[in-house]
Amino acid sequence: MLFNIRQETLPREDLEALQLRRLQDLCARVYANVPFYRKRFEESGITPADIKSLDNLKLLPFTEKQDLRNYYPFGLFAVPRDNIVRLHASSGTTGKAVVVGYTQRDLETWAEVAARSLAAAGVNHTDTVHVAYGYGLFTGGLGAHGGAEHLGATVVPASGGSTRRQAYLLRDFGATALCCTPSYALHLWEAGQEAGIDFRDLPLRTGVFGAEPWTEEMRQDIEQKMGINAMNIYGLSEVMGPGVAMECLDAKCGMHLWEDHFLPEIIDPVTGEVLPAGETGELVITTLTKEGIPLIRYRTRDITSLDYTPCRCGRTHVRLTRIKGRSDDMLIIRGVNVFPQQIESILMESEGLTPNYQLVVDRVHNLDTLEIQVEVDEALFADEIRKLQSLEGRIQKTIKEFLGVSTKVRLMEPHSLERSEGKAKRIIDKRLEK
Ligand code: AMP
Ligand code: ZN
């Protein structure tokens, strides 16, 4: 079901006209109110009046995470502090946090796009939505919460943690939708198994999963284990939070990016050149309506592509293909570029393996090594050691064949890798400590 039929089905021409008007207004706003942007415009020799078509977007300079850090905490805000009603900060594990501020209208926009997103996943006002994204500075919890409330659903603001208790809550409150990271969904499912709760017997039918990369194979695994539709949601704090783009249940193929609020481009991450529609590269987003901290051509570092072909659901907004990785978490192993998701896809095709895995990168005698630690399921674990060893060898061979890189695969006991309540930590790069 469409939440906002008019906006979600705007013909492309009207959508582009709206985008241009909003882009022009955005440029005027940041030029007048944010010294950082005024300086950037001046350095590029342009003024807001030069933006006469959407194509002129190319004239504008990029904004990067480092810019937000340099102006920590509030230097890029475009409205007086008095108009900011909420602050969030991204969970970044390195460097200074990135702080974002929302006006009342920003929160309304966020609730609108998050509600559209839930609706696209098949959630409606009759649903009970269990939100197990972390609440707090992280945008996941409150973002999903705002959307579910705006939709008129019943919200269970569970946040992360107390996993077994959450499994009981899912059963007792009869939630029909679950919002969390895909890795935490599996963690919850395991806790349910241990507590004798089979998710397939519960009313739960929709998962709204995002905030970390995952694969089509992991989707199938989750859907089969939990008996639900596992839907992909995309967002980032700098741009808004969850609900920037969302898959629709009709096609389950690509995430509609809400183009009346967010203007996407795909660039070559090395040269910064804009790539033609359909090509894979780094996603760049311009926030068309955001007031608190508007962003011009923000480099997300997420690698994906844009699909402008019509969708069978009737929504006209472009679809973002599943995120293939980040330009900054791409591993370079002896010169070969490897994305964790490529490895995940191969692991998940093997019977008996779970999606709980970790990649340990090291440098031994000046040579990069990659060890893949992956947990097996209980059934496989009970098998003879010889069988396990031959499986390790087979996976190593497949990875070598498909990705061209030699690895060491280590099958691990069920439940031996650390679980995360939010985003899973997939990579341990020991080279960075050397
Ligand atoms: P944060 O600002 O902490 O919410 O982190 C945002 C980042 O999480 C994005 O830039 C992506 O790298 C990642 N992310 C969010 N949603 C997804 C998704 N559905 N698939 C893959 N990565 C995602
Ligand atoms: Zn669709």
Side-chain angles (χ1 to χ4, degrees):
M1 259 236 294
L2 279 66
F3 179 74
N4 185 335
I5 294 183
R6 207 186 103 74
Q7 293 297 318
E8 290 178 57
T9 61
L10 268 187
R12 177 118 313 254
E13 246 178 49
D14 299 350
L15 195 50
E16 288 183 358
L18 177 67
Q19 287 177 323
L20 178 59
R21 275 204 312 278
R22 291 184 165 173
L23 177 64
Q24 289 168 330
D25 171 67
L26 166 77
C27 290
R29 274 190 289 130
V30 297
Y31 191 78
N33 301 319
V34 189
F36 163 82
Y37 280 117
R38 177 186 282 264
K39 191 157 152 272
R40 285 288 175 94
F41 274 59
E42 283 168 359
E43 281 164 4
S44 311
I46 47 174
T47 70
D50 293 318
I51 304 302
K52 297 195 177 75
S53 70
L54 284 180
D55 199 44
N56 290 151
L57 183 61
K58 285 209 273 292
L59 303 173
L60 301 173
F62 294 116
T63 309
E64 307 205 29
K65 200 189 260 285
Q66 194 54 43
D67 297 319
L68 280 101
R69 290 200 173 118
N70 292 346
Y71 287 83
Y72 175 88
F74 308 138
L76 295 190
F77 286 13
V79 297
R81 277 298 310 287
D82 199 27
N83 295 2
I84 297 288
V85 298
R86 171 100 64 83
L87 294 172
H88 278 285
S90 101
S91 57
T93 41
T94 50
K96 264 187 203 158
V98 162
V99 181
V100 286
Y102 301 73
T103 64
Q104 192 60 49
R105 219 186 98 197
D106 289 337
L107 289 186
E108 284 160 19
T109 307
W110 192 10
E112 151 87 24
V113 293
R116 277 187 208 177
S117 301
L118 289 166
V123 179
N124 64 40
H125 65 96
T126 64
D127 278 287
T128 296
V129 182
H130 182 110
V131 180
Y133 282 118
Y135 281 62
L137 286 175
F138 174 54
T139 51
L142 283 161
H145 185 109
E149 241 173 34
H150 194 52
L151 196 59
T154 308
V155 194
V156 183
S159 193
S162 313
T163 307
R164 180 177 281 226
R165 182 166 158 260
Q166 293 215 34
Y168 288 128
L169 286 183
L170 274 176
R171 181 195 62 192
D172 299 345
F173 294 179
T176 46
L178 167 67
C179 302
C180 59
T181 58
S183 56
Y184 191 65
L186 283 165
H187 187 26
L188 257 170
W189 173 82
E190 281 174 351
Q193 295 284 101
E194 281 161 19
I197 301 169
D198 187 343
F199 280 25
R200 280 173 298 202
D201 298 337
L202 303 182
L204 194 64
R205 60 183 167 77
T206 311
V208 177
F209 303 139
E212 68 182 7
W214 56 312
T215 56
E216 206 49 50
E217 290 79 6
M218 186 158 163
R219 161 164 32 215
Q220 276 154 26
D221 183 66
I222 294 178
E223 292 193 330
Q224 191 263 328
K225 280 179 170 145
M226 301 178 53
I228 61 172
N229 275 306
M231 310 293 295
N232 198 4
I233 186 167
Y234 173 81
L236 62 167
S237 339
E238 296 92 315
V239 167
M240 187 64 102
V244 171
M246 179 72 207
E247 261 177 351
C248 62
L249 192 54
D250 310 68
K252 241 188 188 178
C253 179
M255 303 174 276
H256 291 284
L257 184 137
W258 307 121
E259 281 187 271
D260 48 341
H261 296 288
F262 312 110
L263 182 56
E265 299 167 272
I266 297 288
I267 62 162
D268 178 321
V270 179
T271 63
E273 185 197 339
V274 177
L275 297 177
E279 288 197 18
T280 298
E282 180 183 328
L283 175 67
V284 169
I285 297 180
T286 298
T287 63
L288 292 174
T289 53
K290 211 152 74 135
E291 297 178 332
I293 176 165
L295 292 175
I296 293 205
R297 302 193 85 198
Y298 184 69
R299 293 191 57 165
T300 66
R301 301 281 164 195
D302 292 318
I303 305 294
T304 175
S305 62
L306 295 171
D307 179 359
Y308 285 93
T309 58
C311 185
R312 74 168 79 118
C313 71
R315 291 177 182 84
T316 51
H317 297 226
V318 69
R319 281 177 288 169
L320 203 60
T321 58
R322 190 176 278 278
I323 308 291
K324 293 177 184 63
R326 289 180 58 82
S327 60
D328 52 7
D329 83 4
M330 185 179 75
L331 292 168
I332 305 183
I333 308 293
R334 272 169 267 154
V336 183
N337 295 350
V338 181
F339 286 108
Q341 290 87 314
Q342 294 176 303
I343 292 180
E344 181 179 307
S345 288
I346 293 173
L347 294 178
M348 293 307 301
E349 269 162 21
S350 217
E351 192 79 16
L353 300 189
T354 73
N356 300 307
Y357 71 96
Q358 216 161 39
L359 308 179
V360 184
V361 188
D362 204 349
R363 184 162 288 149
V364 183
H365 305 306
N366 293 317
L367 266 189
D368 298 329
T369 60
L370 172 57
E371 179 173 286
I372 302 167
Q373 304 176 340
V374 55
E375 285 181 14
V376 301
D377 64 19
E378 305 280 354
L380 186 67
F381 188 61
D383 266 332
E384 22 176 329
I385 196 104
R386 207 160 29 88
K387 235 169 139 183
L388 294 178
Q389 279 168 347
S390 88
L391 178 59
E392 286 178 342
R394 259 182 294 146
I395 301 170
Q396 278 166 203
K397 197 158 156 262
T398 312
I399 291 176
K400 175 82 192 171
E401 247 168 52
F402 282 94
L403 307 182
V405 58
S406 303
T407 57
K408 163 105 192 64
V409 172
R410 222 166 93 197
L411 299 183
M412 314 277 288
E413 260 180 60
H415 311 291
S416 54
L417 293 175
E418 201 187 325
R419 299 289 187 269
S420 154
E421 281 165 14
K423 305 187 189 223
K425 182 161 169 46
R426 300 291 191 197
I427 303 171
I428 299 175
D429 197 338
K430 297 187 172 165
R431 293 178 302 187
L432 304 174
E433 297 153 18
K434 292 195 165 163

